[in-house]
Amino acid sequence: MIDRSCPYGSMKSPTESTCQITVSTPPTEFSLEQAAAREANERGAALAHQGRFFEAAAALEEACEFDSEFADAYSNLGAVLRRLGDVEGAITQFEEAIRVRPDFAAAYYSLGNAYGLKDDKTAAVEAYRAAIAHRGDYAEAWNNLARLLNDGDHYEEALEACLEGLQSAPENPHLRNNAGNAYQGLERFSNAIEQYRYAIENAPDMSEAYSNLGIVLKEVGELEASIAVHRKAVNLAPEDIGALNNMGTSEQSSGMLDEAIRTFERALELDRSAVITKINLATVLMERNDIDRAIPLFEEVVETASFGDETPEHALAHKNLGLSLMLKGEFYTGAKHYAWRWATREFTPRDLTSPVWAGEELHGESVFVHWEQGFGDAVQFARFAEHIRDRGGRPILEVPAPLAPLLKTANGIEDIVIEGTTPPETDLHIPMFDLLGALSVSSQNLPGTIPYLKVDPDRGEQWSDRIPETGRLRVGLVWAGRPTRRNDRNRSIPLEAMLPLLRQTDVDFYALQVGERVSEIATAGLANDLIDLSPRLSDFAETAAALDQLDLLISVDTSVVHVAGAINRPAWVLIPHAPDWRWGLEDGTSPWYPSLRLWRQPEFGDWDTVLENIAETLRAERKTLRRR
C-alpha cells in the first residue's frame, strides 16, 4: 500500500522573474531636478541591463532624490533591489511607484512577483489583480495570478484567469500551460491534454509543458506516451529535478522499477537534500522489495524536520517508513510512524468529539473503532475486539455494510456500526490501524484467538447443497482484488494464469471472484471448468459459509483470504514480490492466520513460477487436503 499518495510528481508553471526596467520619456518641459532625475534613471537602467546592479541602484536612488514623484525611477529601483535580494526594499519602492501613479500596471505586477518571493500569496494575488484591473490584456499578470490560484487548489478561479488572459494572448504558452494545470486539477483530463499540446506547439522547448502533459497522460493510463513525453522534458531540461521526478513516477507506474530507481537516483545526485526525491526513491525501493535501502531514506526525511514544522511530505515519509517497519514485523514502532498518515494528502481525519483511546486500561467505557481502508483490513482487525474487551472496554466496530453480518460474530464485539451512517456517541474512539500501537502488537504477541469469526449455521446448511460432496477435492479460486486499490496491478492476475491449476482432474473448482473480473470466466472459455458462485455471494457471511464447505482456497491477496484465516479455513495465498506489510518478508506462514500458506513471487512479476509450484503441490497433496 503505497501512496500519490506517494510516489510524487508535480505540475509545473514558470514565474515571470525578469528585471523589468523602464526608461521614461521626458516631458517637453521639465525642471533641472527633473532633467537630472531622468538622466540618472536612464543611467541606472543602462547599468542594470549590463548586470551592474549595485551601481544601478545608486543611480536610481539619485533619480528618486532628484524627483520624488518619478514613478518609473521607483519601479526601476524596486526591480534592481529585487535582483540584489532585498525583497522588502523592492516592495517599498514598487509601492512608492504606485503611490505616484495609481494606474501603474507594471508596478503592481512587479509588486506581485516580489510578494511571491516572500511566499505571501494573498498579497501577490491582490497585486496581480490590481495590475489586470489597470491593464486587461496583461498576459503575464493573468498567468502569474492563475499560477498562484492553481497552487492554492482554486482551479475554477485559475481557469477563469487563464481564459481571460488568452482572449488577448491566445498563443501564450504559459497561459496554456496553466490552463492545463487548472483542467488537470479539475480532473478534466482531455481539456488539460489539449492545453498542454497548445503550449508545446507554441513553445517547442517548453520543458514544463511536456512534463505536465506526461503527468496527465499517466493519469489517464497512457503510460508509454507519458514516459516518452517525460523523456522529452528531461532532454530539454536535464537538471530539472521536477521533470526527473515526474518521469520516474511514470516509469514506476509502468512497472519499470529499475529505470525508475535510476531516474530518482539521478535526481538525487543533483540535490542530495531533495525531500520529494528521497521519498520517491524510497517508495520505488519498497516496491522492489529492497526495504533495507528504503528505510534509511525515509529516516533521513523524517529526521530533517523540526518538531512542529513537518510538511505533508514529511508525513508521507513517516507513513511509508511505518509500512516498511511493519513489513519487517516491527508492528509497534511501525504503527507510531504510520499514525502520521492523517497528516498526508491521502487521508482525512474523522471529526469525532470523544477522546482517542491510547491503549490504557478501561472500566466499562465504549470504544468506537472506525474503519478507514479495505475490507480485508476490517476482517483482520476485528480480532482485536476481544482484546479491547479484556482491557475492560466495550468495542463498537464500524465496517462496510457487506461485512456487517459476518463481523458481528467477532469475539468480544459489543456492537456493529455500518460505515456511512452517523457514528454513535461513545466514550472513546480509535482509528482501526492505530490499534497496532495502542495494543503494543508484535508478531510474537498477537492478541485474540483463532477462529474469531463464526459461520452462520443456517447459511452453512444452504451452502452444503450448493457445494456438494463429490469425492473430489473442492477448491475455491479468486484471481483479482478491488481494482481501486493502489497496488492492485501487482497482486491481481488474469484468470488464464490459473490454467495450470484448472487442467487438473479430480478437482472441483469454484470461483469466489466477485465484481467485473467474473466476466473472465466466459471470456476465457472456462464456464465448464469453473463453477461461478458470485451470484450468491451477496455479503461476506455468504463467502464465509461457502469457504466452510471447501477443502481449500487458492487466492491472490484480497479480502477473501482474511475471511478464510479468520474462520480458520485453509488457504494458499499468492503473495507479490513486494508484499503487503501484514505478510512479512520471508516465511511461508502467517502469524495472523495459522491456516494460511503463503506462496511468494521469486522475482517481480513472476506469477508463472508461483502457479506452477502451486499446481505441482496440489497434485502431490490432493488426497491429504480433502476435508474428512
Side-chain angles (χ1 to χ4, degrees):
M1 298 165 59
I2 305 172
D3 232 290
R4 181 183 166 196
S5 343
C6 100
Y8 256 58
S10 61
M11 294 186 292
K12 298 163 64 62
S13 51
T15 304
E16 181 67 35
S17 60
T18 55
C19 182
Q20 293 202 339
I21 299 294
T22 304
V23 179
S24 62
T25 301
T28 54
E29 296 182 7
F30 48 85
S31 67
L32 291 176
E33 288 81 1
Q34 289 173 324
R38 278 148 184 76
E39 184 279 328
N41 181 62
E42 291 175 7
R43 177 161 38 90
L47 289 166
H49 285 302
Q50 296 171 32
R52 296 161 65 181
F53 296 116
F54 286 105
E55 296 169 80
L60 292 166
E61 285 173 352
E62 285 182 29
C64 296
E65 289 173 1
F66 280 124
D67 185 352
S68 62
E69 300 298 307
F70 194 1
D72 286 344
Y74 286 121
S75 181
N76 288 344
L77 178 56
V80 169
L81 291 176
R82 179 185 165 200
R83 291 298 298 267
L84 289 171
D86 183 2
V87 178
E88 291 292 349
I91 289 172
T92 298
Q93 299 306 317
F94 293 135
E95 288 175 340
E96 280 295 296
I98 292 165
R99 175 190 63 78
V100 175
R101 192 190 306 167
D103 63 349
F104 198 167
Y108 282 111
Y109 172 72
S110 295
L111 179 62
N113 290 343
Y115 276 124
L117 291 174
K118 284 185 61 181
D119 202 30
D120 188 343
K121 294 181 180 179
T122 301
V125 165
E126 290 178 359
Y128 292 137
R129 289 195 187 280
I132 292 162
H134 295 292
R135 181 181 155 191
D137 64 348
Y138 207 154
E140 292 85 357
W142 282 115
N143 179 68
N144 281 8
L145 173 61
R147 174 182 54 79
L148 288 179
L149 292 170
N150 273 329
D151 288 347
D153 298 338
H154 302 298
Y155 301 119
E156 291 282 4
E157 293 179 68
L159 179 58
E160 182 180 348
C162 289
L163 297 179
E164 288 283 348
L166 287 167
Q167 288 186 20
S168 56
E171 296 183 357
N172 186 292
H174 301 301
L175 280 168
R176 293 288 184 182
N177 180 62
N178 263 316
N181 291 348
Y183 278 126
Q184 187 175 164
L186 294 168
E187 298 188 357
R188 295 169 60 178
F189 299 128
S190 60
N191 296 112
I193 290 170
E194 181 182 37
Q195 293 300 318
Y196 293 139
R197 292 198 188 282
Y198 273 132
I200 290 167
E201 182 179 341
N202 291 308
D205 294 335
M206 189 176 180
S207 63
E208 59 267 23
Y210 284 102
S211 194
N212 290 339
L213 176 59
I215 293 171
V216 76
L217 288 171
K218 178 174 78 71
E219 197 72 34
V220 298
E222 297 184 29
L223 296 177
E224 288 186 14
S226 172
I227 292 171
V229 168
H230 280 310
R231 285 176 178 162
K232 178 67 175 178
V234 170
N235 287 337
L236 288 169
E239 295 190 357
D240 186 334
I241 293 175
L244 285 165
N245 275 305
N246 289 334
M247 183 169 77
T249 58
S250 284
E251 290 169 335
Q252 182 178 1
S253 295
S254 300
M256 301 166 60
L257 302 186
D258 292 337
E259 292 85 346
I261 289 170
R262 286 194 290 270
T263 298
F264 292 137
E265 287 176 337
R266 178 177 165 190
L268 201 57
E269 287 173 1
L270 294 170
D271 184 358
R272 191 64 187 79
S273 65
V275 167
I276 294 302
T277 308
K278 288 181 183 179
I279 294 173
N280 284 344
L281 176 57
T283 302
V284 74
L285 287 169
M286 283 179 68
E287 194 168 345
R288 202 74 179 88
N289 209 22
D290 196 346
I291 300 300
D292 290 336
R293 284 184 65 196
I295 287 176
L297 285 166
F298 287 133
E299 289 176 336
E300 280 185 34
V301 173
V302 302
E303 289 169 1
T304 57
S306 301
F307 182 75
D309 293 332
E310 296 89 350
T311 65
E313 289 74 30
H314 291 103
L316 179 62
H318 272 289
K319 170 182 170 289
N320 280 352
L321 174 59
L323 290 172
S324 300
L325 293 171
M326 289 193 290
L327 179 59
K328 294 187 73 173
E330 300 176 28
F331 298 147
Y332 177 75
T333 304
K336 296 301 182 184
H337 287 284
Y338 191 64
W340 281 78
R341 66 194 178 282
W342 301 113
T344 68
R345 298 181 178 93
E346 183 185 4
F347 290 84
T348 302
R350 296 285 287 272
D351 186 15
L352 299 171
T353 58
S354 61
V356 175
W357 182 53
E360 66 274 12
E361 288 296 319
L362 300 168
H363 304 282
E365 292 92 342
S366 56
V367 181
F368 178 49
V369 181
H370 44 95
W371 181 70
E372 48 177 302
Q373 297 184 44
F375 287 175
D377 301 318
V379 175
Q380 179 182 5
F381 284 87
R383 70 181 296 151
F384 295 132
E386 185 177 1
H387 201 56
I388 296 172
R389 173 78 72 179
D390 290 344
R391 291 206 178 181
R394 296 182 292 112
I396 298 172
L397 185 63
E398 179 187 51
V399 299
L403 281 170
L406 177 62
L407 294 195
K408 72 179 182 182
T409 70
N411 294 341
I413 201 76
E414 173 84 7
D415 197 5
I416 289 287
V417 174
I418 304 299
E419 184 267 335
T421 62
T422 302
E425 293 290 336
T426 58
D427 300 307
L428 300 162
H429 79 273
I430 186 169
M432 190 168 283
F433 270 81
D434 289 349
L435 288 170
L436 290 171
L439 297 174
S440 302
V441 174
S442 72
S443 56
Q444 291 77 39
N445 181 34
L446 284 175
T449 55
I450 300 289
Y452 57 86
L453 299 180
K454 303 176 183 65
V455 174
D456 184 303
D458 293 335
R459 297 190 195 226
E461 186 175 343
Q462 293 172 358
W463 279 96
S464 66
D465 294 331
R466 296 166 187 164
I467 305 177
E469 171 61 64
T470 62
R472 295 185 293 273
L473 191 68
R474 296 170 295 179
V475 177
L477 298 181
V478 179
W479 55 92
R482 284 193 301 166
T484 54
R485 180 173 168 178
R486 190 175 309 280
N487 199 38
D488 189 63
R489 65 184 173 87
N490 291 330
R491 64 164 181 168
S492 294
I493 61 175
L495 173 59
E496 290 183 339
M498 287 189 163
L499 284 175
L501 303 177
L502 292 167
R503 292 194 184 103
Q504 297 196 38
T505 58
D506 290 338
V507 179
D508 292 331
F509 287 103
Y510 294 86
L512 280 75
Q513 181 69 47
V514 296
E516 295 180 0
R517 299 289 295 272
V518 174
S519 63
E520 293 181 28
I521 298 173
T523 303
L526 295 171
N528 294 326
D529 304 282
L530 185 57
I531 301 168
D532 179 13
L533 300 179
S534 64
R536 298 185 180 275
L537 297 176
S538 56
D539 60 38
F540 282 87
E542 296 288 354
T543 301
L547 287 169
D548 199 43
Q549 298 300 316
L550 295 170
D551 298 306
L552 176 67
L553 169 70
I554 300 176
S555 173
V556 298
D557 175 14
T558 189
S559 54
V560 181
V561 166
H562 292 273
V563 175
I567 64 172
N568 204 32
R569 295 299 302 140
W572 292 357
V573 190
L574 283 67
I575 302 295
H577 183 62
D580 198 58
W581 66 271
R582 71 205 78 217
W583 306 124
L585 290 169
E586 296 177 355
D587 292 341
T589 58
S590 167
W592 294 93
Y593 306 116
S595 64
L596 268 52
R597 183 172 177 181
L598 309 182
W599 298 78
R600 300 178 184 273
Q601 276 187 337
E603 296 291 340
F604 181 79
D606 182 9
W607 286 122
D608 290 342
T609 298
V610 172
L611 288 162
E612 288 169 5
N613 290 339
I614 288 178
E616 182 179 344
T617 305
L618 187 63
R619 278 190 293 269
E621 299 182 7
R622 189 163 50 200
K623 292 182 179 179
T624 60
L625 288 168
R626 279 201 53 201
R627 190 173 186 177
R628 301 300 179 185

